């Protein structure tokens, strides 16, 4: 009788942390996410008395209790600015998000965990991630988890796997024979890979700083200067409402709700910059016929990408926020497990 193996995946982004909550045989994986924000856990998080506690996880990192999870925004100050930056992958905050994800899975053993990194960090950080999260991991004072194997891949490869999984057999077989460009607009980095099947052409793949955060800041600056919305010209430092508006189309400022649409043009020079860097990595006579756009801000980037590649078919992944993590899960479940030999 074939033993069912427990495979899970985490896509830890600077904006959102996505993870596989559950995956039962024969069913689609259950994806979940929370904002990539963490705070030292104060007394209200640890002991709320008769009140209902926030829907967050308390994890232990370097002897300090931290709080992260679904309701973390309820613990933030009014003018909170996210502490995450493009160096966060080396920080305690990264470990907090990882442990909060693992704790949210509500299991104590994983046979295979699939993780991702930005393209440019994979060669230097991939092995460190394996070493850090393989074995017994202490999550907090009460709970731990044992992870037998850790696999680390370039983040856009997950989105590519998830995209292929949505195609009918004929189109899938056709695309597997072609060179495809996969674009992942991350929070601090704009990543892309050039691949055929699952073989990545590293020379034509890369990252550039200036992801969604730069676009959000441009939009926030434009809103700050709009006299109809902000006559007092108060600088907007909290980018979270702007980030959410990319998905909802609306944001709240003061007592009124406004459309984000007219302010999206403020990010035009940001789009031009990242697309120019990408184009400079591709030969003029490249064989790419299809471009796949993934990530939480895929829809915001779709039109500039279509304008950049008018001669190519541009696909926007279904449920792009979870494209990478669901693809990681697909990769993890598709790979064979090594047989354990017992004496």
């Amino acid at each position: 009788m074939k033993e069912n193996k427990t495979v899970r995946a985490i896509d830890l982004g600077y904006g959102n942390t996505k993870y596989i909550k559950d995956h039962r045989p024969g069913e689609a994986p259950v994806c979940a996410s929370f904002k990539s924000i963490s705070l030292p856990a104060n007394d209200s998080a640890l002991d709320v008395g008769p009140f209902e506690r926030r829907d967050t996880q308390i994890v232990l990192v370097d002897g300090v209790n931290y709080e992260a999870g679904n309701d973390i925004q309820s613990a933030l100050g009014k003018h909170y600015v996210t502490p995450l930056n493009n160096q966060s992958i080396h920080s305690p905050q990264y470990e907090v998000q990882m442990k909060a994800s693992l704790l949210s899975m509500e299991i104590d053993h994983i046979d295979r965990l699939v993780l991702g990194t930005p393209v440019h960090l994979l060669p230097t950080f991939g092995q460190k991630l394996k070493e850090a999260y393989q074995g017994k991991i202490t999550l907090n004072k009460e709970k731990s988890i044992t992870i037998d194997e850790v696999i680390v891949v370039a983040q856009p490869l997950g989105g590519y796997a998830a995209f292929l999984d949505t195609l009918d057999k004929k189109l899938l077989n056709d695309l597997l024979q072609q060179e495809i460009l996969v674009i992942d607009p991350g929070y601090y980095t704009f990543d892309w890979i050039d691949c055929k099947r699952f073989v990545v052409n590293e020379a034509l793949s890369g990252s550039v700083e200036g992801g969604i955060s730069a676009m959000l800041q441009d939009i926030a600056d434009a809103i700050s200067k709009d006299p109809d919305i902000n006559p007092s010209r108060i600088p907007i430092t909290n980018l979270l409402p702007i980030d959410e508006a990319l998905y909802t189309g609306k944001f709240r400022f003061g007592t009124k709700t406004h459309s984000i649409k007219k302010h999206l043009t403020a990010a035009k020079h940001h789009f031009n910059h990242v697309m120019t860097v990408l184009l400079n990595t591709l030969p003029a006579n490249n064989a790419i016929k299809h471009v796949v756009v993934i990530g939480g801000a895929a829809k915001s980037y779709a039109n500039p990408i279509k304008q950049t590649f008018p001669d190519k078919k541009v696909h926007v992944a279904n449920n792009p926020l979870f494209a990478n993590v669901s693809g990681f899960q697909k990769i993890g479940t598709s790979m064979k497990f090594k047989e354990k030999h017992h004496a």
Side-chain angles (χ1 to χ4, degrees):
M1 183 176 179
K2 187 177 179 181
E3 180 185 0
N4 289 325
K5 298 288 188 178
T6 300
V7 177
R8 292 292 184 269
I10 299 173
D11 176 24
L12 204 164
Y14 298 117
N16 295 281
T17 296
K18 291 77 64 179
Y19 64 97
I20 300 299
K21 173 75 173 178
D22 192 14
H23 191 190
R24 300 182 181 183
E27 299 182 9
V30 178
C31 302
S33 70
F34 52 85
K35 290 293 182 184
S36 297
I37 298 169
S38 60
L39 297 170
N42 57 29
D43 292 341
S44 66
L46 297 170
D47 182 11
V48 295
F51 300 102
E52 184 177 349
R53 200 177 74 78
R54 288 189 289 268
D55 181 15
T56 54
Q57 303 292 349
I58 304 298
V59 299
L60 187 65
V61 174
D62 295 335
V64 178
N65 284 312
Y66 288 88
E67 184 179 8
N70 291 332
D71 289 345
I72 190 63
Q73 287 172 265
S74 67
L76 305 181
K78 182 178 179 181
H79 300 294
Y80 174 80
V81 180
T82 175
L84 295 180
N85 54 51
N86 59 355
Q87 299 300 318
S88 291
I89 201 165
H90 303 286
S91 70
Q93 284 83 358
Y94 186 94
E95 186 176 346
V96 172
Q97 307 304 323
M98 283 290 297
K99 288 186 173 182
S101 300
L102 292 169
L103 198 55
S104 298
M105 295 175 188
E106 300 179 328
I107 52 179
D108 58 14
H109 176 260
I110 295 175
D111 291 285
R112 174 179 291 155
L113 178 66
V114 185
L115 306 174
T117 72
V119 174
H120 71 291
L121 290 177
L122 183 60
T124 56
F125 202 67
Q127 186 58 36
K128 291 180 180 179
L129 272 179
K130 289 181 183 181
E131 294 170 357
Y133 292 100
Q134 194 163 291
K136 185 175 181 179
I137 309 298
T138 298
L139 302 178
N140 57 30
K141 292 180 179 179
E142 291 81 31
K143 296 183 180 180
S144 63
I145 189 169
T146 299
I147 303 171
D148 293 344
E149 179 187 17
V150 176
I151 294 173
V152 186
V153 300
Q155 283 171 337
L157 200 60
Y160 174 57
F163 169 71
L164 293 180
D165 202 38
T166 65
L167 306 179
D168 61 58
K169 189 173 182 180
K170 184 179 183 301
L171 183 57
L172 173 61
N173 290 334
D174 180 40
L175 262 63
L176 284 175
Q177 306 306 316
Q178 299 184 35
E179 188 175 347
I180 295 178
L181 179 66
V182 184
I183 298 176
D184 180 10
Y187 196 78
Y188 276 102
T189 60
F190 183 92
D191 294 66
W192 65 92
I193 58 171
D194 176 280
C195 56
K196 187 173 183 179
R197 290 185 176 271
F198 279 93
V199 179
V200 176
N201 184 337
E202 295 181 1
L204 303 184
S205 305
S207 302
V208 59
E209 290 190 8
I212 299 167
S213 61
M215 178 179 70
L216 295 177
Q217 190 60 63
D218 288 343
I219 296 171
D221 291 344
I223 294 171
S224 296
K225 298 173 184 176
D226 188 334
D228 294 330
I229 297 176
N230 185 15
S232 300
R233 303 292 179 94
I234 301 171
I236 297 176
T237 56
N238 184 359
L239 300 180
L240 292 177
I242 310 300
D243 188 13
E244 292 173 358
L246 294 181
Y247 310 106
T248 65
K250 298 179 180 179
F251 68 96
R252 190 171 182 82
F253 189 89
T255 59
K256 296 182 179 180
T257 299
H258 307 271
S259 170
I260 195 71
K261 188 174 181 180
K262 78 171 185 176
H263 297 288
L264 293 177
T265 56
K268 186 175 181 179
H269 81 274
H270 160 71
F271 289 132
N272 291 340
H273 168 66
V274 295
M275 296 313 300
T276 297
V277 176
L278 188 160
L279 286 171
N280 286 340
T281 68
L282 302 177
N285 60 342
N286 66 78
I288 297 168
K289 294 183 179 179
H290 295 267
V291 178
V292 180
V293 190
I294 61 175
K299 292 181 180 179
S300 298
Y301 281 79
N303 284 334
I305 290 172
K306 288 177 181 178
Q307 293 168 10
T308 303
F309 298 105
D311 58 334
K312 306 183 192 307
K313 177 67 175 177
V314 177
H315 310 263
V316 178
N318 294 330
N319 202 354
L321 178 65
F322 293 116
N324 277 339
V325 75
S326 59
F328 293 168
Q329 185 73 6
K330 179 70 176 179
I331 292 170
T333 55
S334 299
M335 296 174 64
K336 291 183 178 180
F337 284 87
K338 294 179 181 179
E339 293 185 11
K340 293 183 179 180
H341 299 283
H342 301 281

